């Protein structure tokens, strides 16, 4: 059978389908970025010339290699979080599952973080995400540091502060006017009683009205029975 025929055999097609999905992490070589399907294949890869060459490079400066993988893992994880969820509060484990959906992602066991919780705490400490722990686990929210977004947010905050200042001034002006109106209402009755009051007639007294002109002018008087005035 030709090689072309072997490529289209059911076994070959099944192997390619399996290779597309995620395989076991323990059979993945991060340095070579090669996924093996079983333990025997992984052992054969470890003895290959390419793998041994990569391991010699790692032995020269292991800290730099781990730091490089950690930086790549952090950048790709934050990129997944920002593109899929933006600033929405999301479960950290859900974001991680979306991140490892890429077959050739940087694995966490090749970074300086041993657990997802440790990585989430690291991001929260640096201020790259807002992390909070609940009974259901860790939730994170991406903090957008884009200059244009920060400028819009600053403008919105300034406008909100201006509106609050205007509202405060309006409330103070209304309170001042109400206080002034209350003071004016309290002083009005006192001024009304300064001029004369009502004419009150006691028992046994008569009221007489004089229509005579004169310096004193006409007026009403209250007293006992009195003779009528001569107005001639």
């Amino acid at each position: 059978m030709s090689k072309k025929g072997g490529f289209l055999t059911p076994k070959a097609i099944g192997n390619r389908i399996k290779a597309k999905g995620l395989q076991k992490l323990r059979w993945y070589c991060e340095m070579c970025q090669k996924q093996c399907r079983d333990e025997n294949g992984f052992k054969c890869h470890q003895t290959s010339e390419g793998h041994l060459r990569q391991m010699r490079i790692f032995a020269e400066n292991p800290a730099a290699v781990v730091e490089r993988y950690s930086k790549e893992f952090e950048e790709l994880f934050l990129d997944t979080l920002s593109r899929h969820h933006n600033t929405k509060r999301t479960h950290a484990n859900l974001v991680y599952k979306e991140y490892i959906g890429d077959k050739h992602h940087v694995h966490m066991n090749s970074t300086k973080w041993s657990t997802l919780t440790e990585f989430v705490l690291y991001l929260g400490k640096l201020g790259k995400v807002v992390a909070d722990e609940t009974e259901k686990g860790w939730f994170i929210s991406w903090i957008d540091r884009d200059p244009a977004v920060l400028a819009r947010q600053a403008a919105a905050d300034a406008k909100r502060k201006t509106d609050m200042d205007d509202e405060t001034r309006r409330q103070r002006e209304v309170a001042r006017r109400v206080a002034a109106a209350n003071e004016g209402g309290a002083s009005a009755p006192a001024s009304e009683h300064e001029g004369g009051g009502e004419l009150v007639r006691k028992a046994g007294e008569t009221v007489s009205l004089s229509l005579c002109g004169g310096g004193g002018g006409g007026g009403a008087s209250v007293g006992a029975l009195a003779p009528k005035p001569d107005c001639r």
Side-chain angles (χ1 to χ4, degrees):
M1 184 179 292
S2 63
K3 292 184 178 180
K4 184 176 181 181
F7 181 78
L8 296 176
T9 60
K11 183 178 180 180
I13 294 174
N15 289 337
R16 288 196 299 274
I17 292 175
K18 291 179 181 179
K20 290 182 179 179
L22 294 176
Q23 305 293 320
K24 290 186 177 180
L25 181 59
R26 63 179 177 174
W27 296 333
Y28 184 84
C29 178
E30 192 70 52
M31 290 296 297
C32 303
Q33 295 185 354
K34 180 176 178 59
Q35 176 69 60
C36 301
R37 288 198 295 270
D38 52 31
E39 186 176 0
N40 184 50
F42 187 66
K43 287 181 179 180
C44 293
H45 169 71
Q46 287 178 319
T47 59
S48 65
E49 182 181 352
H51 176 77
L52 294 176
R53 184 170 54 252
Q54 292 294 331
M55 293 308 297
R56 284 194 294 269
I57 296 175
F58 175 79
E60 291 176 358
N61 194 349
V65 175
V66 172
E67 185 64 28
R68 175 167 60 87
Y69 284 135
S70 300
K71 185 177 180 181
E72 292 180 6
F73 179 86
E74 178 184 343
E75 290 178 352
L76 294 173
F77 185 90
L78 291 176
D79 182 66
T80 302
L81 174 62
S82 62
R83 286 190 294 105
H84 291 191
H85 305 284
N86 203 355
T87 57
K88 181 181 177 182
R89 182 174 178 267
T90 313
H91 201 288
N93 197 42
L94 175 61
V95 182
Y96 182 72
K97 288 180 179 179
E98 295 173 347
Y99 166 73
I100 65 176
D102 181 11
K103 179 181 177 181
H104 298 291
H105 67 276
V106 179
H107 295 77
M108 184 176 289
N109 62 353
S110 61
T111 67
K112 58 185 177 183
W113 305 289
S114 57
T115 62
L116 182 61
T117 298
E118 183 180 354
F119 177 63
V120 168
L121 292 175
Y122 163 82
L123 294 178
K125 184 177 180 180
L126 292 184
K128 296 185 178 182
V129 301
V130 177
D132 61 291
E133 185 179 15
T134 66
E135 296 179 354
K136 297 183 179 180
W138 284 93
F139 283 81
I140 55 177
S141 303
W142 179 57
I143 300 176
D144 194 350
R145 298 293 184 184
D146 183 47
V149 175
L150 294 178
R152 289 196 299 269
Q153 184 177 359
D157 293 341
K159 184 178 183 302
R160 183 163 54 252
K161 183 178 180 181
T162 302
D163 294 341
M164 292 178 62
D165 293 342
D166 292 342
E167 180 66 17
T168 301
R169 285 194 293 269
R170 189 186 68 81
Q171 291 179 357
R172 288 178 180 176
E173 179 63 19
V174 171
R176 186 187 66 78
R177 292 185 180 183
V178 170
N182 291 338
E183 292 178 0
S187 59
S191 60
E192 290 178 358
H193 288 292
E194 289 177 359
E198 255 183 54
L199 183 63
V200 179
R201 186 182 68 170
K202 296 181 181 179
E205 293 181 339
T206 60
V207 178
S208 62
L209 180 64
S210 175
L211 300 178
C212 298
S221 62
V222 180
L225 293 176
K228 296 182 180 179
D230 188 2
C231 298
R232 290 178 299 174

